[in-house]
Amino acid sequence: MNSMPNGNGQATTRLILVVEDDPTILEFLCEILEEEGFVVEPRESADAALTFLEESAHYVDLLLTDITMPGRIDGADLANLTGDRWPQIPLLIMSGYETPESAGIKHHASFIAKPWALGQMLDLVESTVKNHSIN
């Protein structure tokens, strides 16, 4: 994984880039992930998330993004750009309207439909990070 090492070389944190245009959902997601021990980088647009990735992709252990959002690019575009440029970053897509296939995401991505249950989201985050790290 791409976790930031501590002084003895062991990975201490797993960073999740969370992209959601609804501030309430974004705040809730970040809170629950932080309670589970993750470090989160919240972004309210795919454009802002891409800027973060261009500077810090080597620290990101998971991209968790909604598909539908305003901006120059949406979550599907972000997932495709991430898969093209940083294939080491696993993708977890959420949407209440589309699937990765219907949105044109061309890379392997885990998917969770909105509205999701808290336990379901946390299980999928864990399994997506773990499964990607052993592939």
Side-chain angles (χ1 to χ4, degrees), residues 20-22 25 66 68 94-97 111-116:
E20 168 61 62
D21 62 314
D22 181 318
I25 296 173
D66 191 12
T68 307
M94 58 183 168
S95 180
Y97 306 103
F111 175 73
I112 189 166
K114 289 180 174 179
W116 37 261

Side-chain angles (χ1 to χ4, degrees), residues 80-124:
N80 284 331
L81 289 166
T82 301
D84 290 345
R85 294 176 64 185
W86 304 286
Q88 77 279 8
I89 300 175
L91 306 172
L92 175 50
I93 309 299
M94 58 183 168
S95 180
Y97 306 103
E98 298 196 62
T99 65
E101 295 79 19
S102 72
I105 296 172
K106 61 186 179 182
H107 299 281
H108 174 74
S110 298
F111 175 73
I112 189 166
K114 289 180 174 179
W116 37 261
L118 178 59
Q120 182 187 21
M121 172 61 82
L122 294 174
D123 288 348
L124 195 52

Side-chain angles (χ1 to χ4, degrees), residues 16-22 26 30 40-53 55-56 64-65 69 78:
I16 301 176
L17 178 56
V18 182
V19 189
E20 168 61 62
D21 62 314
D22 181 318
L26 180 62
C30 291
V40 295
E41 274 296 328
R43 294 295 183 273
E44 289 189 9
S45 73
D47 299 315
L50 182 59
T51 299
F52 178 80
L53 284 168
E55 298 167 359
S56 304
L64 170 55
T65 185
M69 63 183 79
L78 178 63

